[in-house]
Amino acid sequence: MSGLQKKETAAAVYWWDPTRIAEPDEPHFQPSWWQEQDRVVGSSTGRNVAWFVQGEQGNMVLRHYYRGGLVGKVLTDQFWLESVEKSRAMREFQLLQWMADEGLPVPRPCAARYARRGLIYRADLLIEMIPNSRDIFRMMTDQGPLDSALWQSVGATVRAMHDKGVYHSDLNCHNIMLDSDNKVWLIDFDKCERREPGEWQQANCERLLRSLRKELTKNDSFGWKESDWSAFMAGYQGTHAA
């Protein structure tokens, strides 16, 4: 990948984009270091904490990779050893950089770390933070329904991702963002990949629809209506008015 820098130390392998961050080292992937520098500007409140930090070239999101499921209750953040290129952070780094270069609205990756110890590794990723953005789940919870034009934009953005052959393994209302200009962004590409066209494209849309219906059953104030899906599909299919 163009512009990608790499280095290996006794403790870890690092990848980074020098236009986004100066050469990173171990402290850059430790929230405590950013706190000591007084450069933490926020954090997420999801299943696993992501830290928003102030970098030299702009704000970034620091995410540590955790395991899910029953195995995750034991190993937490430890993954069975595999090559650097196939590791969680490095795969997501490569995919994000390719998508951004292709013009898709995703955050650019800044740096990734692969730390091996024995037969396991741990991984971290730094990506650019999308300014003045909120996920559509939070927007619909706090502000009510999105208008049809926004749903059409969401549909068109998902279609653009699919047309590039990108499968999103967890497409839901928490990883679709809108910025202050109502531009749609897609995030969270862990375990995602490029694929040939197929049934997965429809299944991806159905997964998003299930997530919207699920949130509505959990929260009466969630601003989702079944009629919104028609607007999404009009955007996805390119049948909305220009």
Side-chain angles (χ1 to χ4, degrees):
M1 293 179 290
S2 61
L4 176 64
Q5 300 292 308
K6 304 178 184 180
K7 75 171 181 178
E8 183 171 357
T9 69
V13 177
Y14 300 91
W15 289 4
W16 74 97
D17 178 348
T19 67
R20 302 285 160 174
I21 186 174
E23 182 175 330
D25 215 329
E26 181 75 18
H28 291 90
F29 299 93
Q30 303 295 334
S32 58
W33 181 82
W34 293 98
Q35 290 172 321
E36 291 167 3
Q37 307 296 314
D38 195 26
R39 290 163 65 182
V40 172
V41 296
S43 63
S44 69
T45 55
R47 181 175 56 183
N48 300 308
V49 175
W51 297 88
F52 308 144
V53 299
Q54 187 177 34
E56 298 297 335
Q57 307 299 325
N59 289 350
M60 301 180 291
V61 181
L62 171 60
R63 192 172 85 239
H64 187 67
Y65 286 81
Y66 292 92
R67 300 195 69 135
L70 294 176
V71 175
K73 296 182 181 299
V74 178
L75 297 178
T76 311
D77 64 345
Q78 303 172 55
F79 300 90
W80 301 121
L81 195 64
E82 57 190 340
S83 69
V84 174
E85 289 75 12
K86 293 182 179 179
S87 65
R88 295 279 285 270
M90 306 311 198
R91 287 205 314 266
E92 188 169 359
F93 187 109
Q94 292 176 95
L95 181 59
L96 283 172
Q97 191 169 69
W98 180 85
M99 292 175 71
D101 287 345
E102 289 292 308
L104 291 173
V106 299
R108 282 196 172 270
C110 303
R113 182 184 75 133
Y114 167 97
R116 173 180 175 175
R117 184 173 182 180
L119 296 177
I120 61 96
Y121 75 90
R122 293 179 172 88
D124 307 90
L125 183 69
L126 276 163
I127 62 173
E128 70 172 344
M129 189 167 74
I130 305 165
N132 304 311
S133 64
R134 302 178 75 193
D135 64 68
I136 61 172
F137 165 78
R138 182 57 54 195
M139 292 185 69
M140 287 189 287
T141 300
D142 294 345
Q143 302 174 17
L146 305 181
D147 63 35
S148 293
L150 287 178
W151 277 115
Q152 290 169 5
S153 295
V154 172
T157 302
V158 173
R159 178 58 181 268
M161 176 180 71
H162 287 173
D163 284 347
K164 292 291 185 180
V166 178
Y167 162 73
H168 198 301
S169 65
D170 191 25
L171 187 64
N172 63 57
C173 57
H174 296 271
N175 49 40
I176 298 174
M177 315 285 288
L178 289 173
D179 66 19
S180 56
D181 295 322
N182 285 333
K183 178 180 177 179
V184 181
W185 296 80
L186 303 173
I187 63 170
D188 291 346
F189 284 87
D190 182 27
K191 295 185 288 189
C192 301
E193 62 186 11
R194 293 167 62 186
R195 292 183 175 182
E196 293 296 322
E199 295 180 357
W200 62 266
Q201 294 161 308
Q202 179 179 345
N204 240 189
C205 292
E206 291 171 353
R207 184 182 185 91
L208 173 59
L209 178 58
R210 287 196 303 272
S211 86
L212 292 162
R213 288 172 171 168
K214 178 181 177 181
E215 296 297 347
L216 185 59
T217 64
K218 292 162 58 177
N219 185 355
D220 290 340
S221 65
F222 184 61
W224 157 256
K225 310 183 301 296
E226 286 290 330
S227 59
D228 292 332
W229 194 246
S230 296
F232 171 89
M233 290 306 300
Y236 186 85
Q237 296 169 349
T239 57
H240 60 291

